[in-house]
Amino acid sequence: PAGMALSVLLILLLSVLYEAVKMGKAVLLRRALQALPRSLSREELVEPEEGNTDPGQGRWFQYHVCQTLFHVVQVVLGYMVMLAVMSYNAWIFLGAILGSTLGYFV
């Protein structure tokens, strides 16, 4: 019983973390779009305009790299939760559902 309870708790926490990573990815997308220069010329993307004091200008690539890493973490967590649910254990399934619900709520 203790091992099953620990397994359900672990799946619950993985589901909460999955939802948190999904939300973090959305926040990074918003920041990346705000940091994107007005002009999409190659020069603007590589170097921001002189005299531009916007600290987010020119950092769009860093946000994009962070989004990519968040996506990889999200996919890995999603597959881990899916594999646990595919054990066809009702308690594990309920832990995944409850964790996803709790993570989305938070």
Side-chain angles (χ1 to χ4, degrees), residues 81-97:
V81 171
M82 180 192 66
L83 285 173
V85 168
M86 292 303 292
S87 69
Y88 300 109
N89 185 315
W91 292 109
I92 297 284
F93 176 74
L94 290 175
I97 297 298

Side-chain angles (χ1 to χ4, degrees), residues 32-48:
L33 290 175
Q34 290 172 348
L36 198 64
R38 301 283 182 225
S39 170
L40 292 180
S41 68
R42 181 172 293 201
E43 294 79 24
E44 283 290 323
L45 291 175
V46 175
E47 296 180 15

Side-chain angles (χ1 to χ4, degrees), residues 10 12 20-22 35-36 41 51-52 58-59 62 64-65 68 70 79-80 84 86 89 92 99:
L10 180 67
L12 186 136
V21 168
K22 188 168 71 169
L36 198 64
S41 68
N52 190 355
R59 292 194 352 212
Q62 293 172 349
H64 186 63
V65 169
T68 303
F70 267 57
Y79 275 113
M80 288 173 63
M86 292 303 292
N89 185 315
I92 297 284

Side-chain angles (χ1 to χ4, degrees), residues 1-73:
M4 178 55 75
L6 186 63
S7 297
V8 171
L9 181 65
L10 180 67
I11 295 304
L12 186 136
L13 292 176
L14 283 176
S15 297
V16 169
L17 184 60
Y18 176 85
E19 293 294 331
V21 168
K22 188 168 71 169
M23 190 62 193
K25 200 168 97 171
V27 168
L28 278 175
L29 175 63
R30 187 177 67 235
R31 288 183 183 174
L33 290 175
Q34 290 172 348
L36 198 64
R38 301 283 182 225
S39 170
L40 292 180
S41 68
R42 181 172 293 201
E43 294 79 24
E44 283 290 323
L45 291 175
V46 175
E47 296 180 15
E49 293 178 4
E50 291 182 23
N52 190 355
T53 59
D54 185 13
Q57 191 85 9
R59 292 194 352 212
W60 66 272
F61 185 74
Q62 293 172 349
Y63 288 128
H64 186 63
V65 169
C66 288
Q67 271 185 298
T68 303
L69 295 175
F70 267 57
H71 179 74
V72 169
V73 170

